[in-house]
Amino acid sequence: MKVYVVSENTAVADSHFKERFGLGLCIVTGSKTILIDCGPDESFLYNMNLLGLDVTSVDYMIITHAHYDHGGGLKAFFQENKTAGIYLSQGCGLAYYSNNLQTSVYKYIGLDSELLECNRDRLTVIEGNYRIDENVSLFHVNRYPGFFFPKMNNNLYVRNNGKYIRDIFLHEMAVLIQEDGKNHIFTGCAHSGVTNMVRTVEDKAGISDISTVIGGFHLVNPGTKTIGEESGTVEKLAEELESYHIGKILTGHCTGHDGFQLLQSRYHGKIDCMTTGMIVDL
């Protein structure tokens, strides 16, 4: 199985890849080609082409949660791929906003609801847990007492009846891909907390050994581009992660540069950062 990073905040040095604040991963298994998120715009198509990937060969896409930096490329995807289905959680058509600097200005960060409605025949809307095929499963994320939950979520909202209400991320899913006896968890942004995601997948899938955890951990404040968590909180997160049997962590995007450096200094397992254009053999 190969993971191609087709959209991320950074790009391989001295390359022609386009970097964007967002995340998109193309997973090529022995039988399927899967997109997990598609970044904020059409640039993932350009990057796929540079990587030798044909977007028309994508069998299906999974949108991990309803933020534009993970699903902003949907319009371009629908235009280029006429057959692949899209899996996303119930609530992805609601209106989501950020207020990272805590001012009176709320920024819309949700998906294009009109686009979703126009392509509803290609959508599979998930409520709860869902098994796409024998290798790929989607899970609604449980919250466990005392587990890490990103502080930066306090800046994220859903608008309902004209009021801005703190988002509790019922629209977020954890993705499990299993192949050759290995278990790989994809987190998107892990707004629900990465260890909540890992524990959820272990509990619901009945597994205990995790080969790889891949995705963002939401440690950065997107408004200031600096780490949004205290050092002690990140140290506690590292301890939580070490309590699981995780072979390797590959993170980036909303983990942020400073967040990654701090987590790497505290975490004693294998951890690396991803970048647009990277190819990972799992």
Side-chain angles (χ1 to χ4, degrees):
M1 188 167 100
K2 289 183 182 292
V3 176
Y4 297 81
V5 183
V6 298
S7 186
E8 204 269 338
N9 308 19
T10 62
V12 171
D14 301 319
S15 72
H16 295 288
F17 292 105
K18 295 182 178 180
E19 58 189 59
R20 296 287 189 274
F21 184 84
L23 189 61
L25 305 172
C26 185
I27 319 299
V28 179
T29 72
S31 59
K32 300 286 185 182
T33 298
I34 307 160
L35 269 177
I36 299 180
D37 297 332
C38 54
D41 58 24
E42 72 283 352
S43 60
F44 79 98
L45 293 174
Y46 176 86
N47 294 330
M48 286 186 71
N49 185 59
L50 282 187
L51 287 163
L53 299 167
D54 180 3
V55 70
T56 65
S57 71
V58 172
D59 294 289
Y60 54 83
M61 182 195 293
I62 299 164
I63 299 295
T64 59
H65 63 292
H67 288 168
Y68 82 96
D69 54 331
H70 292 252
L74 270 172
K75 182 177 180 179
F77 182 77
F78 283 131
Q79 291 172 342
E80 297 298 325
N81 184 310
K82 303 298 185 182
T83 58
I86 313 293
Y87 294 86
L88 70 175
S89 185
Q90 188 178 52
C92 275
L94 298 180
Y96 296 97
Y97 290 80
S98 67
N99 191 342
N100 293 310
L101 300 178
Q102 290 298 294
T103 67
S104 61
V105 179
Y106 290 79
K107 177 185 176 183
Y108 185 75
I109 60 168
L111 303 179
D112 184 337
S113 58
E114 291 185 8
L115 179 69
L116 296 180
E117 180 62 28
C118 290
N119 293 276
R120 62 189 304 180
D121 59 316
R122 293 179 62 178
L123 306 182
T124 299
V125 180
I126 310 301
E127 183 177 3
N129 310 314
Y130 190 86
R131 192 174 182 88
I132 297 177
D133 55 42
E134 62 180 358
N135 297 319
V136 182
S137 301
L138 310 176
F139 298 96
H140 171 73
V141 184
N142 295 337
R143 289 277 299 276
Y144 297 90
F147 278 39
F148 171 73
F149 189 75
K151 183 173 71 174
M152 288 299 97
N153 287 338
N154 292 337
N155 300 335
L156 299 171
Y157 300 84
V158 58
R159 191 175 187 188
N160 188 17
N161 294 324
K163 295 182 179 180
Y164 295 99
I165 302 167
R166 286 262 170 83
D167 193 352
I168 57 173
F169 298 98
L170 297 179
H171 56 97
E172 185 172 55
M173 300 185 294
V175 182
L176 172 66
I177 300 183
Q178 298 173 290
E179 189 172 67
D180 298 329
K182 297 180 179 180
N183 302 305
H184 308 285
I185 297 175
F186 296 82
T187 69
C189 267
H191 287 286
S192 303
V194 59
T195 47
N196 280 313
M197 283 189 159
V198 173
R199 175 71 177 273
T200 292
V201 173
E202 286 194 345
D203 287 351
K204 294 184 176 182
I207 60 177
S208 57
D209 289 324
I210 308 299
S211 299
T212 325
V213 173
I214 306 176
F217 295 168
H218 205 61
L219 303 181
V220 73
N221 182 333
T224 63
K225 308 301 183 187
T226 59
I227 189 168
E229 301 287 346
E230 301 295 331
S231 176
T233 302
V234 177
E235 186 168 348
K236 182 177 181 295
L237 173 59
E239 292 175 357
E240 286 184 22
L241 288 167
E242 286 173 3
S243 69
Y244 295 94
H245 297 98
I246 300 173
K248 183 177 180 179
I249 292 173
L250 183 64
T251 189
H253 176 41
C254 58
T255 301
H257 177 268
D258 293 342
F260 173 77
Q261 294 292 331
L262 184 56
L263 183 61
Q264 184 184 44
S265 71
R266 301 295 195 273
Y267 182 70
H268 298 105
K270 294 181 180 179
I271 184 169
D272 201 357
C273 57
M274 69 177 83
T275 189
T276 307
M278 176 184 282
I279 305 171
V280 183
D281 287 294
L282 299 180

